[in-house]
């Protein structure tokens, strides 16, 4: 560490200026918008007439909390909050549990372990927008591969068993047939959205866990085994407690990303059926840019999201800056 | 096992009930493990492989789950052509299809992502170097501030910039719906991330080399350019790849602020025709979006976990 010199500020200035301009400026402006009644009253074609201020109807009212008050009586917004929380709960839970499972499965040495480990990185390369489309395609009720896979792995074996049972004189059980339209049903659409998110994140989380598991001193496991612990006891009494900080960090990180979900909603479900998959971000976009053009209200709603995110992010940052965990 | 054939007496002791049970469970475990690994692989690969297969399918088999078909590159021709073209469908069927003209959006994506990287990475490197090597007033507070900007929802950046860009013209062109506008807002996600990531790389380097530079009579600037920069370069390359991937995959800004300047991500949405989404064309566009990023991802594999969590999980 060297002492401060003028050169520090030369190095810092451009970077900090850009961060301030692109994050702090909009944050403050949005706060201002959210406290006023600000609507883009002229519909869609403004961009063509840009050249002066005349097309912008600034109509700023006096400072008021109307937008925030409106939010708490807006059924659609409350619906979006519930949807976002449900989505976050399911996607975080599935991603972390599946990620940990994959990590435990693949941490051993072995050819096939290595091969499987090397494909864990692939879902990261798929953009969220494309992820949404590819899942929507797979879930298609007429020609989707997903139904075929379910048939192969679940329905077919079960039906075989049921056929055997029906051949016996104990009464008949109806065969299982898949005729569910996944994205046409509110519950399943949200679940599939969370599953597509899990598809993208579980492998990444597995990679993080594999790294964390690899850094545990193997002697700890050995001595636990010498003390007579079985695999399950080692997992619950040794591995999990050691991984606790990593699990906490991953849960917080994933929660933040889940709360911000937007891209896949647009490309996979479009918020539907009805409003079953409208996350907060999606609803804000609807309010601000699609239906109401109500920038003030949209800003207020996104501010509510920011407050929720700040709580989680504060925990994350405090945890990261703990000196014993990370030297930064 | 060969030895057991010659010594039957020992075989009896070897295959006691307990050891057979042990062997049995060992194999059950192994089979279970292989099965689980196979399921993991299927889960991860299925969406990607299915997309790749569909992109090569002619229209007539795209809407089936067949895996045997005559592969064709027609879908790629369709998405990149800007006029009506004739494609073969099966044996003697020919059909005229209107192209989706995705060259402009490909070009937009390349220009926007490259420009974002070229602007963000040098500035982020400078800032990261200052954070890593100097102690100054407010350094910790600035770092935390930069870290927290990562958690902003993109929509709150998009709303004010939407209203701002409508009122600004650059060279007679409105900023709203321009590449420049998208490059500017991309900074909001790329810049803080790059600063933290590059700072992590610089932190990991021993400071002694730079000190030797000072001893040899370099000033701060010379140490940075001639001593530190060559050492940081691998880290900078990794950060650049990450920054490129982030701006390439960015959707929300391009969707809201891009207007007619479509990036590849937004161009995916143009595969909807009158009969709904043309899936075989969407799949082809998806492959074009995905393949460069898959190649890039492979180059940053080693730094991947560290990069994703900004050094939180080591």
């Amino acid at each position: 560490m060297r002492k401060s010199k003028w050169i520090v500020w030369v190095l810092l200035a451009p970077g900090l200026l850009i961060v301030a301009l692109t994050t702090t400026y909009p944050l403050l402006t949005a706060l201002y918008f959210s406290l006023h009644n600000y609507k883009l009253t002229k519909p869609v074609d403004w961009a063509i007439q840009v050249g002066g201020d005349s097309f912008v109807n600034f109509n700023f009212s006096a400072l008021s909390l109307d937008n925030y008050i409106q939010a708490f009586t807006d059924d659609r917004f409350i619906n979006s909050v519930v949807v976002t929380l449900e989505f976050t709960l399911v996607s975080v839970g599935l991603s972390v549990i599946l990620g940990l499972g994959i990590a435990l499965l693949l941490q051993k040495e072995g050819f096939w372990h290595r091969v499987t480990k090397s494909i864990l990185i692939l879902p990261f390369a798929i953009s969220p927008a494309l992820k949404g489309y590819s899942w929507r395609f797979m879930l298609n009720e007429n020609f989707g591969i997903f139904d075929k896979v379910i048939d192969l792995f679940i329905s077919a074996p079960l039906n075989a068993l049921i056929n055997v049972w029906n051949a016996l004189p104990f009464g008949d059980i109806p065969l299982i047939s898949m005729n569910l339209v996944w994205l046409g049903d509110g519950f399943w659409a949200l679940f599939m959205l969370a599953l597509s998110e899990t598809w993208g994140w579980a492998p990444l989380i597995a990679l993080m866990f594999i790294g964390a598991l690899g850094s545990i001193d193997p002697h700890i496991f050995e001595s636990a085994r010498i003390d007579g612990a079985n695999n399950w006891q080692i997992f619950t009494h040794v591995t999990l407690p050691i991984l606790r900080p990593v699990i906490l960090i991953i849960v917080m990180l994933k929660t933040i990303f889940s709360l911000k979900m937007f891209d896949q909603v647009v490309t996979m479900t479009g918020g539907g059926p009805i409003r079953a998959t409208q996350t907060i971000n999606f609803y804000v976009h609807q309010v601000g840019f699609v239906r109401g053009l109500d920038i003030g209200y949209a800003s207020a709603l996104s501010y509510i999201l920011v407050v929720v995110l700040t709580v989680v992010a504060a925990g994350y940052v405090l945890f990261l800056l703990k000196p014993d965990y990370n030297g930064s | 096992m060969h030895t057991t054939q010659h010594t039957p007496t020992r075989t009896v002791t070897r295959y006691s009930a307990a050891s057979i049970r042990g062997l049995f469970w060992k194999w059950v475990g192994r089979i279970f493990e292989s099965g689980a690994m196979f399921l993991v692989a299927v889960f991860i690969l299925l969406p990607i492989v299915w997309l790749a297969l569909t992109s090569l399918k002619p229209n007539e088999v795209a809407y089936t789950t067949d895996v045997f078909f005559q592969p064709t590159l027609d879908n790629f021709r369709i998405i990149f052509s800007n006029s009506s073209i004739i494609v073969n469908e099966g044996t003697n069927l020919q059909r005229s299809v209107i192209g989706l003209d995705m060259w402009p959006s490909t070009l937009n994506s390349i220009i926007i992502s490259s420009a974002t990287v070229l602007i963000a990475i040098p500035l982020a490197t400078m800032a990261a170097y200052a954070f890593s090597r100097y102690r100054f007033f407010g350094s910790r507070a600035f770092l935390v501030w930069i870290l927290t900007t990562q958690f902003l929802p993109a929509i709150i950046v998009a709303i004010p910039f939407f209203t701002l860009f409508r009122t600004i013209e650059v060279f007679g062109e409105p900023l709203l719906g321009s590449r420049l506008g998208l490059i500017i807002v991309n900074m909001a996600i790329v810049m803080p991330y790059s600063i933290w990531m590059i700072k992590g790389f610089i932190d990991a380097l021993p400071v002694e080399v730079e000190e030797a530079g000072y001893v040899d009579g370099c000033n701060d600037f010379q140490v940075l350019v001639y001593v530190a920069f060559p050492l940081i370069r691998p880290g900078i390359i990794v950060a650049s790849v990450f920054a490129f991937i982030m701006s390439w995959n960015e959707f929300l800004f391009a969707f809201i602020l891009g207007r007619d300047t479509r990036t590849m991500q937004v161009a995916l949405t143009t595969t909807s025709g009158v009969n709904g989404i043309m899936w075989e064309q969407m799949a082809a566009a998806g492959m074009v979006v995905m393949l460069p990023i898959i190649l890039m991802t492979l180059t940053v594999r080693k730094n991947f976990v560290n990069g994703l969590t900004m050094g939180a999980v080591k």
Side-chain angles (χ1 to χ4, degrees):
Chain A
M1 281 285 182
R2 294 188 284 280
K3 270 201 202 142
S4 155
K5 285 181 193 168
W6 59 268
I7 195 171
V8 172
W9 300 102
V10 174
L11 292 173
L12 282 175
L16 292 190
L17 214 64
I18 286 183
V19 175
L21 176 79
T22 55
T23 61
T24 309
Y25 157 75
L27 205 58
L28 295 176
T29 316
L31 182 64
Y32 182 80
F33 287 166
S34 76
L35 294 169
H36 293 83
N37 177 15
Y38 175 20
K39 291 190 171 107
L40 299 171
T41 42
K42 284 218 172 179
V44 199
D45 275 358
W46 339 269
I48 296 161
Q49 336 168 359
V50 166
D53 267 1
S54 56
F55 68 99
V56 183
N57 190 345
F58 262 101
N59 248 347
F60 278 123
S61 63
L63 204 69
S64 82
L65 286 172
D66 285 354
N67 287 322
Y68 291 95
I69 295 165
Q70 190 189 341
F72 289 101
T73 53
D74 182 351
D75 288 344
R76 288 163 181 243
F77 176 65
I78 292 167
N79 166 68
S80 75
V81 172
V82 173
V83 166
T84 307
L85 291 180
E86 285 170 352
F87 170 80
T88 304
L89 198 71
V90 177
S91 65
V92 173
L94 279 180
S95 309
V96 173
I97 292 170
L98 208 60
L100 186 57
I102 296 175
L104 291 170
L105 186 69
L106 298 181
Q107 60 166 331
K108 284 190 229 155
E109 279 305 311
F111 176 72
W112 288 108
H113 295 76
R114 249 199 330 278
V115 170
T116 318
K117 242 185 270 183
S118 68
I119 61 169
L120 287 181
I121 204 164
L122 287 179
F124 173 72
I126 317 298
S127 71
L130 180 58
K131 204 192 296 175
Y133 272 128
S134 85
W135 274 74
R136 182 164 159 194
F137 181 47
M138 289 203 310
L139 293 170
N140 188 290
E141 65 274 18
N142 297 322
F143 43 83
I145 188 77
F146 196 84
D147 284 348
K148 286 277 185 299
V149 173
I150 296 261
D151 262 345
L152 193 68
F153 283 103
I154 298 171
S155 310
L158 281 180
N159 280 342
L161 286 178
I162 292 172
N163 274 330
V164 172
W165 176 266
N166 288 350
L168 303 171
F170 299 122
D172 283 2
I173 302 174
L175 292 174
I176 299 167
S177 66
M178 294 293 308
N179 49 12
L180 188 64
V181 181
W182 297 104
L183 297 180
D185 177 276
F187 170 82
W188 284 110
L190 189 59
F191 180 80
M192 285 304 168
L193 203 63
L195 194 64
S196 75
E197 182 77 354
T198 305
W199 176 76
W201 274 85
L204 307 188
I205 290 175
L207 279 173
M208 296 180 203
F209 276 130
I210 289 173
L213 285 169
S215 64
I216 300 176
D217 184 357
H219 292 115
I220 299 175
F221 296 116
E222 259 169 53
S223 49
R225 207 170 286 282
I226 291 166
D227 289 344
N230 61 31
N231 282 338
W232 178 249
Q233 286 167 327
I234 289 178
F235 175 67
T236 52
H237 289 92
V238 182
T239 316
L240 273 187
I242 293 177
L243 286 183
R244 224 177 65 98
V246 181
I247 295 175
L248 201 64
I249 279 206
I250 291 174
V251 166
M252 285 193 283
L253 199 69
K254 180 72 198 79
T255 305
I256 290 164
F257 279 99
S258 286
L259 289 172
K260 298 202 289 189
M261 242 283 283
F262 177 78
D263 306 3
Q264 278 140 278
V265 185
V266 173
T267 57
M268 193 168 154
T269 63
I274 311 175
R275 287 194 284 281
T277 53
Q278 285 196 354
T279 58
I280 298 178
N281 244 343
F282 186 84
Y283 183 58
V284 172
H285 173 254
Q286 294 269 308
V287 168
F289 299 103
V290 182
R291 287 179 328 165
L293 303 179
D294 191 341
I295 293 294
Y297 188 40
S299 303
L301 296 183
S302 42
Y303 244 90
I304 295 173
L305 180 59
V306 166
V307 170
V308 178
L309 283 168
T310 307
V311 175
V312 188
Y316 181 79
V317 171
L318 287 178
F319 196 81
L320 270 195
L321 294 179
K322 266 205 305 197
D324 59 329
Y325 188 70
N326 189 324
S328 56
Chain B
M1 294 304 130
H2 291 294
T3 52
T4 56
Q5 285 178 343
H6 305 293
T7 52
T9 44
R10 277 180 62 195
T11 318
V12 176
T13 49
R14 265 221 181 156
Y15 292 114
S16 66
S19 78
I20 287 175
R21 214 180 304 140
L23 211 64
F24 173 74
W25 283 117
K26 193 177 159 196
W27 276 100
V28 168
R30 221 173 250 184
I31 290 167
F32 182 77
E33 198 181 317
S34 313
M37 276 199 311
F38 177 71
L39 284 182
V40 168
V42 168
F43 179 62
I44 292 172
L45 289 178
L46 186 69
I48 300 171
V49 170
W50 195 242
L51 211 61
L53 276 180
T54 307
S55 73
L56 298 173
K57 283 181 176 182
N59 177 280
E60 59 177 6
V61 282
Y63 300 90
T64 64
T65 45
D66 295 350
V67 283
F68 299 106
F69 55 89
Q70 184 74 43
T72 167
L73 290 176
D74 277 349
N75 297 320
F76 293 91
R77 281 174 53 213
I78 294 171
I79 62 170
F80 282 122
S81 124
N82 61 1
S83 56
S84 171
I85 57 167
I86 305 290
V87 292
N88 269 322
E89 313 243 306
T91 40
N92 289 319
L93 275 167
Q94 289 203 331
R95 191 168 65 110
S96 168
V97 184
I98 298 166
L100 291 178
D101 194 18
M102 282 199 179
W103 275 121
S105 27
T106 313
L107 199 64
N108 284 337
S109 270
I110 293 172
I111 290 174
I112 291 168
S113 306
S114 312
T116 305
V117 171
L118 288 178
I119 296 169
I121 294 297
L123 301 183
T125 309
M126 283 160 57
Y129 186 76
F131 277 123
S132 181
R133 291 296 191 243
Y134 293 94
R135 186 172 296 144
F136 54 91
F137 175 73
S139 58
R140 206 176 152 89
F142 274 131
L143 268 177
V144 173
W145 168 61
I146 291 171
L147 184 63
T148 50
T149 59
Q150 281 286 286
F151 305 131
L152 286 181
I155 190 98
I156 210 164
V157 176
I159 292 172
F161 274 112
F162 183 85
T163 60
L164 179 71
F165 284 174
R166 294 201 322 160
T167 58
I168 296 180
E169 281 188 36
V170 177
F171 301 123
E173 204 195 334
L175 214 46
L176 186 66
S178 71
R179 290 174 190 151
L180 181 62
L182 287 180
I183 293 167
I184 292 172
V185 286
N186 271 349
M187 291 295 156
I189 46 171
V190 171
M191 197 73 184
Y193 188 88
S194 308
I195 292 178
W196 263 85
M197 195 171 176
I198 299 173
K199 179 186 171 288
F201 285 119
I202 302 177
D203 283 345
L205 287 176
V207 77
E208 283 75 18
V209 187
E210 289 152 57
E211 258 144 30
Y214 283 109
V215 173
D216 289 344
C218 295
N219 60 29
D220 288 280
F221 182 73
Q222 287 167 324
V223 166
L224 174 62
V225 175
Y226 298 113
V227 183
F229 183 72
L231 288 172
I232 312 166
R233 199 158 49 198
I236 292 177
I237 291 170
V238 172
S240 307
V241 171
F242 268 93
F244 189 91
I245 294 176
M246 284 174 88
S247 28
W248 181 273
N249 282 354
E250 202 289 319
F251 178 75
L252 190 147
F253 292 147
F255 188 59
I256 294 176
L257 303 170
R259 313 240 113 191
D260 295 335
T261 308
R262 291 198 191 95
T263 64
M264 276 307 268
Q265 306 294 334
V266 180
L268 287 176
T269 61
T270 59
T271 50
S272 311
V274 277
N275 301 321
I277 297 174
M278 309 297 288
W279 286 110
E280 74 280 22
Q281 294 167 20
M282 196 283 303
M287 291 308 286
V288 176
V289 169
M290 180 167 81
L291 277 179
I293 302 302
I294 284 192
L295 294 179
M296 286 188 176
T297 310
L298 297 180
T299 65
V300 294
R301 247 202 6 229
K302 268 189 258 165
N303 308 81
F304 187 73
V305 170
N306 236 325
L308 196 76
T309 59
M310 293 191 276
V313 177
K314 284 181 179 161

Short mmCIF file of all heavy atoms in Angstrom, two decimals, chain A residues 5 31-32 45 50 53 66 80 83 137 141 143 149 151 165 173 180 187 238 261 280 282 322:
data_model
loop_
_atom_site.label_atom_id
_atom_site.label_comp_id
_atom_site.label_asym_id
_atom_site.label_seq_id
_atom_site.Cartn_x
_atom_site.Cartn_y
_atom_site.Cartn_z
N LYS A 5 -1.62 9.88 -3.58
CA LYS A 5 -0.97 10.89 -4.40
C LYS A 5 -1.99 11.39 -5.40
O LYS A 5 -3.06 10.78 -5.55
CB LYS A 5 0.21 10.28 -5.18
CG LYS A 5 1.43 10.01 -4.33
CD LYS A 5 2.50 9.43 -5.21
CE LYS A 5 3.63 8.82 -4.40
NZ LYS A 5 4.52 8.04 -5.21
N LEU A 31 -35.88 8.32 -8.02
CA LEU A 31 -36.49 8.73 -6.76
C LEU A 31 -37.33 9.98 -6.97
O LEU A 31 -38.46 10.09 -6.50
CB LEU A 31 -35.40 8.99 -5.71
CG LEU A 31 -35.91 9.37 -4.31
CD1 LEU A 31 -36.69 8.22 -3.72
CD2 LEU A 31 -34.76 9.76 -3.40
N TYR A 32 -36.77 10.92 -7.74
CA TYR A 32 -37.50 12.15 -8.05
C TYR A 32 -38.78 11.84 -8.81
O TYR A 32 -39.86 12.31 -8.45
CB TYR A 32 -36.58 13.07 -8.86
CG TYR A 32 -37.18 14.39 -9.21
CD1 TYR A 32 -37.21 15.43 -8.27
CD2 TYR A 32 -37.72 14.62 -10.46
CE1 TYR A 32 -37.77 16.65 -8.59
CE2 TYR A 32 -38.29 15.83 -10.78
CZ TYR A 32 -38.31 16.85 -9.85
OH TYR A 32 -38.86 18.05 -10.16
N ASP A 45 -44.92 6.80 -30.73
CA ASP A 45 -44.00 7.20 -31.81
C ASP A 45 -43.04 8.34 -31.52
O ASP A 45 -42.48 8.92 -32.44
CB ASP A 45 -44.79 7.55 -33.06
CG ASP A 45 -45.10 6.30 -33.86
OD1 ASP A 45 -44.65 5.22 -33.43
OD2 ASP A 45 -45.75 6.40 -34.87
N VAL A 50 -37.95 13.33 -32.18
CA VAL A 50 -37.00 13.95 -31.25
C VAL A 50 -36.35 15.17 -31.87
O VAL A 50 -36.05 15.22 -33.05
CB VAL A 50 -35.91 12.93 -30.85
CG1 VAL A 50 -34.75 13.62 -30.17
CG2 VAL A 50 -36.51 11.92 -29.92
N ASP A 53 -38.17 19.75 -26.83
CA ASP A 53 -38.84 19.26 -25.63
C ASP A 53 -40.35 19.24 -25.80
O ASP A 53 -41.06 18.74 -24.96
CB ASP A 53 -38.49 20.14 -24.43
CG ASP A 53 -37.30 19.58 -23.69
OD1 ASP A 53 -36.77 18.54 -24.13
OD2 ASP A 53 -36.91 20.15 -22.68
N ASP A 66 -48.20 9.80 -3.57
CA ASP A 66 -49.32 9.10 -4.22
C ASP A 66 -48.91 7.78 -4.86
O ASP A 66 -49.60 6.77 -4.73
CB ASP A 66 -49.94 10.00 -5.29
CG ASP A 66 -50.78 11.09 -4.65
OD1 ASP A 66 -50.95 11.04 -3.41
OD2 ASP A 66 -51.25 11.97 -5.38
N SER A 80 -47.73 -9.29 -8.30
CA SER A 80 -46.36 -9.45 -8.80
C SER A 80 -45.38 -9.68 -7.66
O SER A 80 -44.40 -10.41 -7.81
CB SER A 80 -45.94 -8.23 -9.64
OG SER A 80 -45.65 -7.13 -8.80
N VAL A 83 -45.82 -13.31 -6.75
CA VAL A 83 -45.20 -14.15 -7.78
C VAL A 83 -43.68 -14.13 -7.64
O VAL A 83 -43.02 -15.18 -7.68
CB VAL A 83 -45.61 -13.65 -9.19
CG1 VAL A 83 -44.72 -14.27 -10.26
CG2 VAL A 83 -47.06 -13.98 -9.45
N PHE A 137 -39.85 -23.77 -25.95
CA PHE A 137 -39.90 -24.72 -27.05
C PHE A 137 -39.98 -26.15 -26.51
O PHE A 137 -40.79 -26.96 -26.96
CB PHE A 137 -38.65 -24.54 -27.91
CG PHE A 137 -38.59 -25.45 -29.09
CD1 PHE A 137 -39.68 -25.61 -29.92
CD2 PHE A 137 -37.42 -26.13 -29.38
CE1 PHE A 137 -39.62 -26.44 -31.01
CE2 PHE A 137 -37.35 -26.98 -30.48
CZ PHE A 137 -38.46 -27.13 -31.29
N GLU A 141 -46.75 -28.06 -25.89
CA GLU A 141 -47.63 -29.20 -25.61
C GLU A 141 -47.76 -30.14 -26.80
O GLU A 141 -48.10 -31.30 -26.63
CB GLU A 141 -49.01 -28.69 -25.16
CG GLU A 141 -49.81 -27.92 -26.19
CD GLU A 141 -49.46 -26.43 -26.23
OE1 GLU A 141 -48.39 -26.07 -25.71
OE2 GLU A 141 -50.24 -25.65 -26.78
N PHE A 143 -45.23 -30.49 -29.60
CA PHE A 143 -44.01 -31.09 -30.13
C PHE A 143 -42.83 -30.87 -29.19
O PHE A 143 -41.70 -30.88 -29.61
CB PHE A 143 -43.71 -30.52 -31.52
CG PHE A 143 -43.91 -29.04 -31.61
CD1 PHE A 143 -42.92 -28.16 -31.19
CD2 PHE A 143 -45.08 -28.52 -32.12
CE1 PHE A 143 -43.12 -26.80 -31.27
CE2 PHE A 143 -45.27 -27.16 -32.19
CZ PHE A 143 -44.30 -26.30 -31.78
N VAL A 149 -39.53 -36.79 -22.60
CA VAL A 149 -38.58 -37.20 -21.57
C VAL A 149 -39.34 -37.70 -20.34
O VAL A 149 -39.01 -38.74 -19.77
CB VAL A 149 -37.64 -36.03 -21.20
CG1 VAL A 149 -36.77 -36.39 -20.01
CG2 VAL A 149 -36.79 -35.66 -22.39
N ASP A 151 -42.29 -38.95 -20.34
CA ASP A 151 -42.83 -40.25 -20.74
C ASP A 151 -41.81 -41.35 -20.54
O ASP A 151 -42.09 -42.38 -19.95
CB ASP A 151 -43.20 -40.21 -22.24
CG ASP A 151 -44.68 -39.95 -22.42
OD1 ASP A 151 -45.41 -40.10 -21.43
OD2 ASP A 151 -45.09 -39.62 -23.54
N TRP A 165 -50.04 -54.72 -12.73
CA TRP A 165 -51.06 -54.70 -11.68
C TRP A 165 -52.45 -54.98 -12.27
O TRP A 165 -53.21 -55.77 -11.72
CB TRP A 165 -51.04 -53.34 -10.98
CG TRP A 165 -52.11 -53.20 -9.94
CD1 TRP A 165 -53.34 -52.65 -10.10
CD2 TRP A 165 -52.05 -53.63 -8.58
NE1 TRP A 165 -54.05 -52.69 -8.94
CE2 TRP A 165 -53.28 -53.30 -7.97
CE3 TRP A 165 -51.08 -54.28 -7.80
CZ2 TRP A 165 -53.56 -53.56 -6.64
CZ3 TRP A 165 -51.36 -54.54 -6.47
CH2 TRP A 165 -52.58 -54.19 -5.91
N ILE A 173 -56.19 -49.81 -12.41
CA ILE A 173 -55.74 -48.45 -12.18
C ILE A 173 -55.61 -47.79 -13.55
O ILE A 173 -55.08 -48.41 -14.48
CB ILE A 173 -54.35 -48.44 -11.48
CG1 ILE A 173 -54.41 -49.20 -10.16
CG2 ILE A 173 -53.88 -47.01 -11.26
CD1 ILE A 173 -53.07 -49.36 -9.50
N LEU A 180 -50.95 -32.31 -19.99
CA LEU A 180 -50.88 -31.01 -19.32
C LEU A 180 -50.23 -30.00 -20.25
O LEU A 180 -49.21 -30.28 -20.87
CB LEU A 180 -50.05 -31.17 -18.05
CG LEU A 180 -50.00 -29.99 -17.10
CD1 LEU A 180 -51.38 -29.73 -16.54
CD2 LEU A 180 -49.04 -30.29 -15.96
N PHE A 187 -49.80 -22.48 -12.01
CA PHE A 187 -48.83 -23.08 -11.10
C PHE A 187 -47.63 -23.63 -11.86
O PHE A 187 -46.48 -23.34 -11.55
CB PHE A 187 -49.50 -24.20 -10.29
CG PHE A 187 -48.53 -25.02 -9.50
CD1 PHE A 187 -48.07 -24.57 -8.27
CD2 PHE A 187 -48.05 -26.23 -9.99
CE1 PHE A 187 -47.16 -25.32 -7.54
CE2 PHE A 187 -47.14 -26.99 -9.27
CZ PHE A 187 -46.70 -26.53 -8.04
N VAL A 238 -20.22 -32.57 9.55
CA VAL A 238 -18.92 -32.02 9.17
C VAL A 238 -19.03 -31.12 7.94
O VAL A 238 -18.74 -29.93 7.99
CB VAL A 238 -17.89 -33.16 8.91
CG1 VAL A 238 -16.54 -32.56 8.55
CG2 VAL A 238 -17.80 -34.06 10.12
N MET A 261 -35.48 -10.96 -11.62
CA MET A 261 -35.78 -11.70 -12.84
C MET A 261 -36.64 -10.92 -13.83
O MET A 261 -37.65 -10.36 -13.46
CB MET A 261 -36.54 -12.96 -12.45
CG MET A 261 -35.82 -14.20 -12.80
SD MET A 261 -36.00 -14.49 -14.53
CE MET A 261 -37.66 -15.12 -14.52
N ILE A 280 -42.08 -8.66 -10.38
CA ILE A 280 -42.09 -7.21 -10.14
C ILE A 280 -41.48 -6.47 -11.32
O ILE A 280 -42.06 -5.53 -11.87
CB ILE A 280 -41.33 -6.86 -8.85
CG1 ILE A 280 -42.00 -7.52 -7.63
CG2 ILE A 280 -41.30 -5.34 -8.65
CD1 ILE A 280 -41.28 -7.27 -6.33
N PHE A 282 -41.15 -7.33 -14.37
CA PHE A 282 -41.99 -7.41 -15.55
C PHE A 282 -43.17 -6.44 -15.43
O PHE A 282 -43.50 -5.73 -16.37
CB PHE A 282 -42.51 -8.84 -15.74
CG PHE A 282 -43.27 -9.05 -17.01
CD1 PHE A 282 -42.59 -9.32 -18.19
CD2 PHE A 282 -44.65 -8.96 -17.03
CE1 PHE A 282 -43.29 -9.50 -19.37
CE2 PHE A 282 -45.34 -9.14 -18.21
CZ PHE A 282 -44.66 -9.41 -19.38
N LYS A 322 -16.43 -8.96 6.10
CA LYS A 322 -15.91 -9.46 7.37
C LYS A 322 -14.44 -9.83 7.17
O LYS A 322 -14.12 -10.62 6.30
CB LYS A 322 -16.70 -10.69 7.82
CG LYS A 322 -17.82 -10.34 8.77
CD LYS A 322 -18.20 -11.49 9.66
CE LYS A 322 -18.56 -12.73 8.87
NZ LYS A 322 -19.29 -13.73 9.64
#
